[in-house]
Amino acid sequence: MSTADREWMRRLCCTDGDPYNAHKAAPFSVKVGKLTFDVATDGKALVAVEGAALALSKHRKMVTIVKMVLSEPAGKLGLNLADVLAWAGAPEWPAWETCPSCEGKGGACSFCADVLPGSTGGDSTGTGRAWNLRQRAGWFGPIPVDRNLVARALHHFTPTSIRVRIGSPEQPIYFDGAGWRAIVMPMRTQPEHDGAPVFALPVPA
């Protein structure tokens, strides 16, 4: 396994250029017990694949978080990944775009103020640019979630049987496949969730 084999994971990282997110800007490896996982995260979704193609992370807080979430047991709910991907749709990637509020003019625009990489939070002048996460509201059973975030986390894996674990609407969703785990954080319920596509979970026997 080489770093080239993990290049697809780079797009899953936090790519907004903010120095505060530097520890999430590129994939890394973490040892969990006897296993090593290559990991990519943007803070809202995390993907871990068994292997050791990348450099070990030296960011203690991130390593602690990764070890914690990868030590959680797999879910008991069996699903077909192809069905989840069909509901989630094709992945779209976040990008800097012209601010939809001021149309790029900046100035007295609260929508795009304090959003440039390296901002200290002390400026109130709009930049004319906004970070578009390309969110698509949906319901994964009772969990409000960004379908695009699910698509980005799962699109690389071969559609096959997976195990899923969900908790309360405030807790992350765990997707487990052969040699990999993906974790997606829920969204806060917003008006756009009304009528949003629902992935109906099977009723336990």
Side-chain angles (χ1 to χ4, degrees):
M1 188 66 64
S2 67
T3 54
D5 296 315
R6 296 293 194 236
E7 188 60 30
W8 62 273
M9 300 180 77
R10 190 170 297 278
R11 299 188 75 183
L12 301 173
C13 297
C14 193
T15 56
D16 61 4
D18 192 328
Y20 179 80
N21 295 319
H23 60 290
K24 298 180 289 188
F28 53 88
S29 286
V30 172
K31 286 187 176 181
V32 183
K34 296 181 179 180
L35 296 176
T36 301
F37 290 87
D38 292 331
V39 179
T41 183
D42 64 354
K44 296 180 176 64
L46 181 147
V47 172
V49 183
E50 288 185 21
L54 307 172
L56 289 169
S57 174
K58 296 181 180 179
H59 194 278
R60 292 184 179 180
K61 184 177 180 179
M62 179 58 68
V63 170
T64 299
I65 292 173
V66 171
K67 286 183 176 181
M68 179 180 67
V69 298
L70 293 186
S71 297
E72 292 287 335
K76 297 181 179 179
L77 182 62
L79 295 176
N80 191 314
L81 178 55
D83 295 336
V84 177
L85 291 173
W87 164 81
E92 297 182 276
W93 306 97
W96 286 102
E97 296 182 349
T98 299
C99 175
S101 180
C102 67
E103 298 180 340
K105 298 182 179 67
C109 177
S110 60
F111 188 92
C112 62
D114 299 333
V115 297
L116 279 180
S119 170
T120 62
D123 301 326
S124 59
T125 302
T127 62
R129 294 199 300 160
W131 184 245
N132 188 343
L133 293 172
R134 306 184 189 279
Q135 294 179 327
R136 297 195 297 259
W139 292 94
F140 191 78
I143 312 296
V145 70
D146 177 4
R147 291 183 297 127
N148 190 33
L149 195 61
V150 174
R152 297 203 305 266
L154 301 179
H155 81 285
H156 185 81
F157 300 115
T158 302
T160 185
S161 296
I162 60 173
R163 309 297 293 180
V164 177
R165 182 161 65 89
I166 64 171
S168 72
E170 295 79 28
Q171 294 177 315
I173 306 170
Y174 289 77
F175 300 91
D176 285 283
W180 61 267
R181 165 170 282 187
I183 303 164
V184 177
M185 295 299 295
M187 294 178 72
R188 292 185 177 181
T189 305
Q190 301 290 340
E192 56 264 29
H193 275 86
D194 294 340
V198 177
F199 188 92
L201 300 176
V203 178

